[in-house]
Each structure stands twice: as structure tokens, then as C-alpha cells.
């Protein structure tokens, strides 16, 4: 199957990788705890943003295509995938 292109998220992924490296350096330098926690929260926010964008793309492409195709098996599969994602995200 043809999957959506998420390459537009690479700039954000690279920024997150840089932030993680920054946190490693902060820990090595024994920086003040609240400073480290602030950076960790920024990473979490950035990851959540990427996650939301990819989920939106999934809904607008893969799920929409399955429902427009009229293929009952494909629709059921997408519903099962959405249920599993919901379970995983809400733990």
C-alpha cells in the first residue's frame, strides 16, 4: 500500500533530537533540576505536536480512503487500528 509522506515532520524530529542532546549535556553539567524539567516538557510538547499531525494525516488519508472505498474489510481494519491507537494513547 501507499503510505502518506511524513517527511515534512523531519525538521521537528531533528529539533527534538537536538533538544535531547541538549538535555544530555545539561545532565552531564549537573544543571539545575527545573531547567532540565523545562526542557523535557518542551520535548514532550514537540512530540505531541508531531503525533497529532501524523494522526490527522492518517485520518485524512488512510481512514478516509478506506471508508470511501466501500471495502467492508478495510473499514473494519481501520476501526480496529483506531481502537488500538486509542487504547495505547490513553494509558
Amino acid at each position: 500500500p501507499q503510505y502518506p509522506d511524513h517527511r515534512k515532520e523531519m525538521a521537528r524530529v531533528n529539533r527534538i533530537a537536538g533538544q535531547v542532546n541538549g538535555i544530555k549535556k545539561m545532565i552531564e553539567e549537573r544543571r539545575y533540576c527545573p531547567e532540565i524539567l523545562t526542557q523535557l516538557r518542551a520535548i514532550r510538547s514537540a512530540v505531541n505536536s508531531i503525533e497529532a499531525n501524523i494522526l490527522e494525516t492518517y485520518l485524512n488519508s488512510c481512514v478516509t480512503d478506506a471508508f470511501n472505498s466501500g471495502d467492508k474489510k478495510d473499514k473494519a481494519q481501520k476501526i480496529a487500528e483506531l481502537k488500538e491507537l486509542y487504547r495505547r494513547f490513553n494509558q
Side-chain angles (χ1 to χ4, degrees), residues 25-43:
K25 185 176 179 182
M26 291 174 80
I27 290 170
E28 289 168 354
E29 295 172 351
R30 300 182 65 183
R31 297 276 293 272
Y32 191 48
C33 298
E35 293 174 15
I36 297 169
L37 291 168
T38 298
Q39 289 305 310
L40 287 167
R41 178 56 61 175
I43 290 171

Side-chain angles (χ1 to χ4, degrees), residues 38-83:
T38 298
Q39 289 305 310
L40 287 167
R41 178 56 61 175
I43 290 171
R44 185 179 315 210
S45 177
V47 168
N48 286 342
S49 178
I50 293 171
E51 182 180 281
N53 288 344
I54 291 176
L55 178 58
E56 183 177 349
T57 299
Y58 172 67
L59 292 170
N60 288 333
S61 62
C62 302
V63 174
T64 300
D65 290 348
F67 276 77
N68 288 338
S69 74
D71 182 337
K72 289 182 181 185
K73 184 178 177 184
D74 200 17
K75 287 180 188 179
Q77 179 184 358
K78 295 302 180 240
I79 289 172
E81 288 173 357
L82 286 167
K83 287 178 182 178

